[in-house]
Amino acid sequence: MIGLNTVAVYVLQTLGSLYLLIVLLRFVLQLVRANFYNPLCQFVVKATQPLLKPLRRIIPSLFGLDMSSLVLAILVQLALMALTLLLTYGTTGNPLQLLIWSLIGVTALFLKIFFWAMIISIILSWVAPGSHNPGAELVNQICEPALAPFRRIVPNLGGLDLSPIFAFLVLKLIDMLVINNLAVMTMMPEILRLLM
């Protein structure tokens, strides 16, 4: 029976995390003002629309951002964590603590989206510079707002852009000093830290 629970947790975390990523990408794409005519953006919109449509009726936009997608990401993370705890320990625990853990998890994933988008952008700049592939354009649109402040500070050294190094450093410091410490302070179980 324990083996089946482990398999169920693995499948749940894999599929749930994938959908959570798509939902949070919907928020990020709107945040960075990505081109929603991009085929990948269209996929994200279609994958999240069934659950977002009823939420939009009760959750208003704030500062031009669709807050319903952020709330949906938190709810998906909360459900994912609750089911993981239920399958692992037989209980979901304190609902308020679960909500706090969900907020920490969504924030960690938010930072990871930018981290991995920058890695992909760097690799694409070496392999296919100036590519007009929809995926490459989307990655660049996600990275640009995160790199813009560093590009203003760090000069361009003859075609060598060092701004991603500083962006990686800031993202990693936030992850180490804020996200991980919050997870420890709120006594997040190790099984849930795997979702971050």
Side-chain angles (χ1 to χ4, degrees):
M1 190 68 177
I2 293 174
L4 288 178
N5 277 355
T6 305
V7 169
V9 166
Y10 175 74
V11 170
L12 173 74
Q13 286 183 340
T14 302
L15 297 178
S17 295
L18 181 62
Y19 190 71
L20 176 62
L21 174 66
I22 293 170
V23 171
L24 197 54
L25 263 175
R26 173 94 182 242
F27 178 75
V28 169
L29 292 175
Q30 188 178 18
L31 181 69
V32 300
R33 307 280 189 243
N35 177 11
F36 273 87
Y37 292 108
N38 185 314
L40 295 172
C41 289
Q42 290 296 314
F43 165 75
V44 169
V45 168
K46 288 177 183 173
T48 55
Q49 192 61 23
L51 293 179
L52 276 179
K53 195 172 183 179
L55 276 178
R56 281 211 173 107
R57 292 185 185 129
I58 53 175
I59 300 172
S61 293
L62 190 64
F63 304 115
L65 293 174
D66 181 21
M67 298 309 289
S68 56
S69 56
L70 187 59
V71 170
L72 180 60
I74 293 168
L75 291 175
V76 168
Q77 178 77 318
L78 189 122
L80 191 57
M81 288 182 165
L83 287 171
T84 300
L85 288 175
L86 189 63
L87 288 171
T88 306
Y89 303 116
T91 180
T92 59
N94 182 350
L96 180 60
Q97 200 169 29
L98 201 58
L99 178 63
I100 292 169
W101 292 339
S102 299
L103 291 170
I104 294 169
V106 167
T107 306
L109 181 60
F110 182 78
L111 295 176
K112 281 183 182 174
I113 288 173
F114 285 99
F115 180 85
W116 287 106
M118 281 190 282
I119 290 204
I120 293 168
S121 175
I122 290 168
I123 292 170
L124 286 174
S125 72
W126 293 335
V127 178
S131 175
H132 294 292
N133 181 300
E137 288 178 357
L138 187 61
V139 164
N140 289 331
Q141 288 174 348
I142 291 172
C143 291
E144 192 53 39
L147 294 175
F150 299 103
R151 286 191 176 134
R152 283 193 291 270
I153 298 169
V154 179
N156 192 345
L157 302 174
L160 184 62
D161 187 11
L162 298 178
S163 58
I165 294 171
F166 295 98
F168 283 132
L169 185 65
V170 168
L171 287 174
K172 190 61 178 171
L173 286 174
I174 292 171
D175 187 46
M176 286 177 9
L177 299 176
V178 179
I179 303 297
N180 286 336
N181 284 336
L182 283 173
V184 170
M185 286 171 39
T186 58
M187 296 177 284
M188 183 184 287
E190 191 64 35
I191 190 85
L192 295 183
R193 288 187 201 178
L194 296 174
L195 293 172
M196 293 180 20

